[in-house]
Amino acid sequence: MDQLRKAALALPETEEGTHFGMAAFSVRGKGFASVTKDGDVQLHLPADEARAALAAHPGAEPVARGETLIGLRIPPADVDGKELNSLVRAAWSSRAPKRLAASLAAGDAADSVPGLPAGIGRPATRALLGAGIDSLDLVAGRSEAELLALHGVGPKAVRVLKEELAGRGLSLRA
């Protein structure tokens, strides 16, 4: 459960709630991951990705709505943390608005982004892009606490951002 929570909440605009009394995660109101009453992880995935995951994990079960495959249910013991992260991200991407998913994918593909200092690192760059922040002007509109609340933005990234802002006569919002 801890790994599922960590993986889900690392993705932009993810909210944790409950579904039938069990932990559930959604992006802009669309559920993408939950825990069943048996403790299995249930993921909403496109049919082709669900079929591939089912083939790779014999202990997984398909989740269907009528005749349509909409995801899978997998015991946590049948999947390692790295693969769970990948499946959660695929589920999130399939349910997130296309623009938000594209923003996160662009952050993954880029070592640096014009408008953001390369010295902040890839995790911070992904986190900022996922939050819709792609320039120092937009960074200046945030407080230090807001930046640190983004998964992937740590003290070093904030220090580098502050230095870049100061060099341009800007600062973080108080």
Side-chain angles (χ1 to χ4, degrees):
M1 182 59 199
D2 289 339
Q3 182 66 32
L4 173 63
R5 179 175 283 116
K6 181 179 176 184
L9 293 177
L11 298 165
E13 298 189 31
T14 295
E15 294 181 352
E16 183 174 2
T18 59
H19 184 68
F20 295 111
M22 301 303 288
F25 301 90
S26 62
V27 56
R28 293 202 186 160
K30 291 184 174 183
F32 65 90
S34 61
V35 178
T36 68
K37 66 180 185 227
D38 299 326
D40 291 345
V41 175
Q42 186 166 302
L43 300 165
H44 193 286
L45 290 166
D48 58 333
E49 291 185 48
R51 280 191 284 279
L54 287 164
H57 301 283
E61 299 174 10
V63 174
R65 184 172 293 136
E67 297 295 317
T68 304
L69 180 63
I70 62 167
L72 68 105
R73 185 176 303 116
I74 188 166
D78 287 2
V79 63
D80 67 27
K82 185 176 179 180
E83 193 161 10
L84 179 62
N85 290 349
S86 177
L87 289 169
V88 168
R89 186 177 178 129
W92 178 90
S93 293
S94 75
R95 303 290 281 169
K98 294 199 183 312
R99 187 178 230 175
L100 184 59
S103 171
L104 184 64
D108 287 342
D111 285 331
S112 65
V113 173
L116 294 175
I120 63 174
R122 290 184 76 180
T125 300
R126 281 193 301 269
L128 291 170
L129 289 174
I133 302 168
D134 62 359
S135 70
L136 285 173
D137 290 335
L138 292 174
V139 170
R142 301 292 180 106
S143 70
E144 184 171 342
E146 289 173 318
L147 293 174
L148 288 170
L150 297 172
H151 182 78
V153 178
K156 177 189 173 213
V158 170
R159 180 182 47 77
V160 171
L161 289 168
K162 284 176 157 181
E163 290 169 0
E164 286 287 325
L165 288 169
R168 297 178 187 206
L170 299 169
S171 64
L172 294 175
R173 194 178 83 219

